[in-house]
């Protein structure tokens, strides 16, 4: 049976103490959960959360990363610092980074290659705005984000890449893509990957859906052939919502 990859993106929420409490509650609530689980607290809480989940199966994630290993880059956090804290997965190219902080595909690509070259897993986020979808540009946008985001990534590294399809209009809005709509975009993503890496790699690729995933819609989404997991924002901030999402089956 396939294992789903359920990831929580805590965004800019929670103090260190609040993060530790949530991490401990999740560790105990998900002790017997068979899925692959990741939580990504704020940078400031990574170290404390790493301690709180030590010895368990929850993976520590980061929400972003600088594009250089080290140096004069005020305000950035390096891949080496993340690894030092036990981070295993880094979320890159989130739409909030792309749209509010001007990250383009070339910058996202530098981060993806750097993270992979240091042995981290990456979740590469892609997705269209409502305007792009309504203008018939969904495939052009998502296709470009994938092709440029993965440029120069060797086939042997693809098993450490997850793609998260997150339609921008569904993030934090309470609007979810229908399972059918999401599945169709995921199928399109597989054809893009097949073109780049061949059909076997496309079949094996883990593709998460993200955008207002909640306990009451997760099962219908995960039931779709091409949906292999979820990237969860708002509903990952409370055990009452994240535990039932991760234990949807
Ligand atoms: P949301 O966020 O679940 O709050 O819509 C998803 C995300 O941004 O990853």
């Amino acid at each position: 049976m396939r294992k789903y990859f359920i990831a929580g993106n805590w965004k800019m929420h929670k103090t260190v103490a609040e993060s530790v409490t949530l991490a401990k509650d999740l560790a105990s609530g998900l002790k017997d959960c068979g899925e692959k689980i990741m939580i990504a607290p704020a940078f400031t809480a990574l170290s404390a959360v790493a301690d709180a989940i030590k010895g368990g199966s929850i993976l520590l994630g980061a929400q972003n990363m600088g594009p250089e290993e080290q140096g004069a880059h005020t305000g950035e956090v390096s891949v080496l610092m993340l690894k030092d804290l036990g981070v295993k997965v880094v979320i890159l190219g989130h739409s909030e980074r792309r749209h509010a902080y001007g990250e383009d595909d070339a910058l996202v690509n530098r981060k993806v290659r750097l993270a992979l070259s240091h042995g981290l897993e990456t979740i590469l986020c892609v997705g269209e705005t409502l305007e792009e979808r309504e203008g018939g540009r969904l495939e052009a946008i998502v296709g470009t984000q994938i092709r440029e985001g993965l440029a120069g990534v060797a086939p042997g590294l693809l098993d450490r890449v997850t793609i998260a399809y997150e339609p921008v209009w569904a993030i934090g809005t309470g609007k979810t893509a229908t399972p059918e709509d999401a599945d169709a975009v995921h199928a399109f993503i597989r054809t893009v990957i097949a073109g780049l890496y061949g059909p076997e790699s496309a079949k094996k690729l883990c593709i998460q859906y993200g955008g207002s995933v909640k306990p009451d819609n997760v099962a219908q989404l995960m039931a779709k052939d091409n949906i292999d997991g979820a990237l969860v924002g708002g509903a990952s901030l409370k055990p009452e919502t994240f535990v039932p999402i991760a234990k949807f089956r």
Side-chain angles (χ1 to χ4, degrees), residues 83-220:
K83 278 180 66 176
D84 186 39
L85 296 180
V87 168
K88 301 286 184 232
V89 187
V90 59
I91 300 169
L92 296 172
H94 191 280
S95 66
E96 287 152 15
R97 302 294 323 164
R98 293 177 188 269
H99 295 284
Y101 297 95
E103 292 198 11
D104 62 11
D105 289 320
L107 178 61
V108 173
N109 176 249
R110 281 168 63 203
K111 296 181 180 194
V112 166
R113 284 187 288 129
L114 185 62
L116 292 173
S117 75
H118 281 276
L120 293 184
E121 285 187 41
T122 71
I123 297 177
L124 170 62
C125 301
V126 301
E128 81 291 358
T129 63
L130 192 57
E131 200 191 338
E132 289 161 348
R133 172 175 277 249
E134 288 174 347
R137 290 191 290 137
L138 187 158
E139 294 195 352
I141 295 291
V142 171
T144 301
Q145 288 171 335
I146 292 170
R147 274 186 284 268
E148 296 193 5
L150 294 179
V153 171
L157 295 177
L158 202 67
D159 60 349
R160 276 193 267 124
V161 174
T162 292
I163 292 190
Y165 169 57
E166 300 204 305
V168 178
W169 48 271
I171 296 177
T173 57
K175 288 186 199 146
T176 325
T178 64
E180 291 69 30
D181 277 351
D183 192 55
V185 181
H186 286 219
F188 165 71
I189 291 172
R190 275 191 220 286
T191 65
V192 175
I193 295 294
L196 294 171
Y197 295 97
E200 268 315 299
S201 301
K203 213 165 104 192
K204 278 196 295 193
L205 180 77
C206 174
I207 309 178
Q208 294 174 321
Y209 169 78
S212 299
V213 175
K214 305 277 184 268
D216 62 3
N217 62 21
V218 63
Q220 297 94 290

Side-chain angles (χ1 to χ4, degrees), residues 37-114:
I37 309 290
M38 181 211 84
I39 53 176
F43 288 135
T44 50
L46 280 172
S47 176
V49 168
D51 282 345
I53 61 176
K54 204 185 236 140
S57 58
I58 297 179
L59 297 169
L60 186 64
Q63 301 173 21
N64 188 23
M65 190 192 90
E68 307 287 343
E69 243 168 40
Q70 58 189 357
H73 301 283
T74 303
E76 291 292 328
V77 173
S78 127
V79 62
L80 303 174
M81 299 165 187
L82 297 182
K83 278 180 66 176
D84 186 39
L85 296 180
V87 168
K88 301 286 184 232
V89 187
V90 59
I91 300 169
L92 296 172
H94 191 280
S95 66
E96 287 152 15
R97 302 294 323 164
R98 293 177 188 269
H99 295 284
Y101 297 95
E103 292 198 11
D104 62 11
D105 289 320
L107 178 61
V108 173
N109 176 249
R110 281 168 63 203
K111 296 181 180 194
V112 166
R113 284 187 288 129
L114 185 62

